[in-house]
Each structure stands twice: as structure tokens, then as C-alpha cells.
Amino acid sequence: YQNSYSKEDPNIVIILLDDMGYGDIESFGAIDYYTPNINNLADNGMLFTNFYSAQAVCSASRAGLLTGTYPNRIGIHGALFPQSKIGLNTSEKTIAEILKEKNYKTAVIGKWHLGYQKEFLPLNHGFDYYYGIPYSNDMWPVDYNGEPIVGDKRSYYPPMSFWVGNEPTEVIRSLEDQGQLTTKITELAVDFIKRNKDNPFFLYMPHPMPHQPIAVSEKFKGKSELGLYGDVIMEIDWSVGEVLKALKLNGIDDNTLVIYASDNGPWLNFGKWGGSAGPLREGKGTMWEGGARVPCIMRWPETIQSDQVISKIASTLDIFPTIADIVGQKEFKDKIDGVSLMPIFQGAHEVNPRNELYYYYGKELIAVREGQWKLVFPHTY
């Protein structure tokens, strides 16, 4: 295996779903709704069947993805709240900062959830642009039916707003407003692609959906046999299609690496509207397979052969060093826990970049996997 990227560096697009389970798209066995654009991504790329989030909860998972480090190592445990005083420290190097050094334009469009105060926001972590919400879409003074909360700790949350840069702009007041988020994020992403078609870019799209409370725009209401949850997934599939269409229309499709994954497993408390882990045990909030193992597809026409199914262990932790490898950076000042997947991308299927995985939840080591074996320690959850 050799990294031979003397040619033009590729664009990078990461589409990250919130609480999408292992069984929530057709390529992984979903029924009652259709995901043709995600299917197309898989048919023309590489589908990972043993792909893991860094932790089965929002903030920790995102910290692991952006830094290539187990979140415990950098002090991010669980999910951060609006009143949390901590966030992703600016001393931690992110994917965006590596790519900025290579003259990439960088944007995060969607849910951030790595610190609410200005010092922790994306513009201090290597991103040129930020559009989206700063934390989870249920962290607002409204219940899952859209009614104001009285007498619950969530009633003390600040109003949720859509942010541009370091400033909140429009307030999100209702589930109808939340139903516009997928479309708004998609339109902003497509615009970013158009504006940067002539230079390398990194687009990070962390969708707020299908995290509860779920909501959908009018154009997808009633489209699936499953009901609202299926409608939401179909709108996300539409969003993926719009991004792929924009890459093709702007002539940059072949040299763009698209990574599609979820931050953790499904929120099973909500029944059929909470998603599916398919054949796996449990979901979000646990480090059983249903909480940690997530759907992942990677597509890069110039490098990745189409229609591949990869059963080797991989993780969101591996995205950081893989992208660093692509742009020629192999040494890091700080310890990272990810490994480069470039050998697999380039067809070296006898190579096994990762044979072990550690399952943390909060500060606790829950389990260890080596090859086909997993040791789970006694714990409550």
C-alpha cells in the first residue's frame, strides 16, 4: 500500500445522521419506505457492516469523529447540554484544521453539539462557515408533541435558534419549524458546493434528524408506510440525492469522498418512531452492538471500487487519520486512536487496519472486541 496523492486533493463530504439505527436504510434491511439515493451511494461505493461510533451518545461520538480520539481521552463524556460549561477544547486538532492547512474551504452545516459557548463553536475549530443548531433538537422548552413544557427541567432551556457563525439568527419555535431543518441544511450544503467547486472543500453535514422529536416538511408527509419516522428517513434520502446531484452538476463527483454514517444507534424508547437496530441488541445509550454499530457507506469514484461490502472492523475514529493520510499527513503531535482506511480504499483487502475496538460509555470501559470476539464486562445501563 502506498499513498500516491500527488494529484489534486479530493473534496470531502461527511453526512452524519443523528440516532439512525443499523436497520434504518434499505441497504441494511429497512422496509416500509425507500432510500434510493442512499442505495445508489452503496451500489457505487463501499458498505461497512462492522462500523462503530466512538460512543453511543451525541457529543462524545462527534468528538471522536472530528479528532480521531476516544472521547474519554479529551474529556467529552455523554451529551453536552446548553448549561454545560465545557466543550471541545481548542487545543484538540480537528479534521477541519488539518484540511485548512491544505487550503481547503471548510463548513459545518447542521447540528454541532460540542459546546454552546463561543469558544467551543465551529469557527474556533477550523471551520470557515457554520450554519445550524448548537445542540440536540430536544433541548428546548417544548415537548415531543410540540407543546410548551411546564414544571420540567427542560422548561429552563433557552429557545432553540438556527445559528450563522457565532450568532443565533432565527428562533425555532415549533415542530413545524423543525420540519424545515433537513431542507434548509440541504439547500445551504448545495450552495456551499456550488461556491467551492473550483477549490478543494470539506463539508460536514451533521443532520439533527432522526433524533426525537422527529419532524418532516410538507413535501414528505405521509410518503412512507411506516408513518412519520419513515417520512423523515425518506427526506434524509432526498437530501443525500441533492448533495450527490450537486457534485455531479458541478463536475466534481469523481474526486469527492462521501462518507455516510450515524452518530450512534436508534432511540428505542420511541418504538417504531425511534428507529431500528436490525438484528443487533439494544440501541442508543448502550454499548451493546445496537448502540455502537452503525450503518456506514463510503464512496469515492476515483479511488474506491464500486459495490463492495467490507466486514472488517472500522470506526468513526478512523475518519480523521484516513483524511489526514489522503492529504499527506501521517504524523500527529497528540495521541490518536484511529487508523487509516486508505489500504482498504485502494483494494488491499488482505490488510486489516483495525482488529481491536474498545467500547466506552461515559468514563467506563464496557467491552473490548478483538476480531470476531467481544468481551463484555458486568455493567448497568
Side-chain angles (χ1 to χ4, degrees), residues 97-335:
E97 288 171 301
I98 284 178
L99 294 176
K100 280 293 292 178
E101 294 170 0
K102 304 296 182 179
N103 297 315
Y104 276 65
K105 291 294 184 182
T106 59
V108 53
I109 304 176
K111 170 184 162 180
W112 176 240
H113 210 181
L114 285 169
Y116 176 44
Q117 289 80 9
K118 185 175 179 179
E119 65 188 286
F120 303 126
L121 290 171
L123 299 192
N124 286 319
H125 288 291
F127 288 98
D128 296 315
Y129 308 101
Y130 169 47
Y131 307 95
I133 61 176
Y135 39 78
S136 288
N137 66 329
D138 65 336
M139 296 178 180
W140 64 333
V142 178
D143 68 16
Y144 296 107
N145 296 312
E147 299 298 324
I149 294 173
V150 179
D152 183 278
K153 66 178 182 178
R154 282 187 289 138
S155 65
Y156 299 103
Y157 285 166
M160 180 175 289
S161 296
F162 195 86
W163 289 53
V164 176
N166 288 331
E167 300 297 332
T169 54
E170 58 190 286
V171 176
I172 299 169
R173 302 185 185 279
S174 65
L175 288 179
E176 287 73 21
D177 290 347
Q178 288 221 29
Q180 305 308 310
L181 287 175
T182 299
T183 294
K184 184 163 190 163
I185 288 166
T186 304
E187 290 173 347
L188 288 166
V190 168
D191 181 65
F192 176 80
I193 290 168
K194 289 178 181 176
R195 287 188 288 109
N196 290 281
K197 64 181 180 181
D198 296 323
N199 53 261
F201 63 79
F202 170 41
L203 170 60
Y204 173 43
M205 284 182 72
H207 280 279
M209 298 292 162
H211 189 289
Q212 297 287 338
I214 52 175
V216 71
S217 70
E218 285 293 334
K219 61 182 177 291
F220 282 93
K221 279 185 180 176
K223 291 291 185 181
S224 86
E225 294 181 22
L226 183 65
L228 181 58
Y229 192 86
D231 298 346
V232 168
I233 302 299
M234 290 181 70
E235 185 160 33
I236 288 167
D237 180 77
W238 164 82
S239 174
V240 171
E242 291 299 294
V243 169
L244 295 178
K245 188 189 304 180
L247 295 173
K248 191 172 289 288
L249 287 173
N250 288 284
I252 52 176
D253 181 57
D254 286 347
N255 199 31
T256 298
L257 169 60
V258 178
I259 300 174
Y260 177 95
S262 178
D263 67 340
N264 48 246
W267 202 348
L268 297 179
N269 306 52
F270 289 88
K272 71 175 184 178
W273 285 6
S276 168
L280 307 179
R281 177 177 176 177
E282 295 290 353
K284 171 182 178 173
T286 81
M287 290 305 279
W288 299 106
E289 291 296 285
R293 201 193 302 190
V294 295
C296 179
I297 301 167
M298 300 190 190
R299 174 183 174 273
W300 181 9
E302 281 194 0
T303 301
I304 295 176
Q305 185 179 343
S306 64
D307 198 23
Q308 296 186 73
V309 177
I310 304 297
S311 60
K312 298 180 189 297
I313 301 171
S315 170
T316 51
L317 299 169
D318 302 331
I319 292 174
F320 174 100
T322 300
I323 291 172
D325 196 359
I326 288 170
V327 297
Q329 182 168 338
K330 297 177 182 287
E331 302 294 329
F332 305 99
K333 178 173 69 73
D334 298 315
K335 166 70 177 175

Side-chain angles (χ1 to χ4, degrees), residues 54-106:
Q55 268 200 39
V57 65
C58 294
S59 300
S61 174
R62 291 153 204 273
L65 186 155
L66 287 176
T67 66
T69 305
Y70 283 113
N72 309 64
R73 195 184 293 282
I74 56 176
I76 302 291
H77 307 291
L80 299 177
F81 292 87
Q83 61 268 34
S84 298
K85 302 300 183 187
I86 66 167
L88 184 62
N89 197 297
T90 53
S91 66
E92 304 299 339
K93 197 156 205 174
T94 67
I95 295 170
E97 288 171 301
I98 284 178
L99 294 176
K100 280 293 292 178
E101 294 170 0
K102 304 296 182 179
N103 297 315
Y104 276 65
K105 291 294 184 182
T106 59

Side-chain angles (χ1 to χ4, degrees), residues 351-366:
V351 175
N352 194 19
R354 171 185 291 285
N355 197 46
E356 301 85 26
L357 185 81
Y358 295 90
Y359 298 73
Y360 289 95
Y361 194 80
K363 299 179 181 180
E364 187 179 2
L365 179 63
I366 301 296

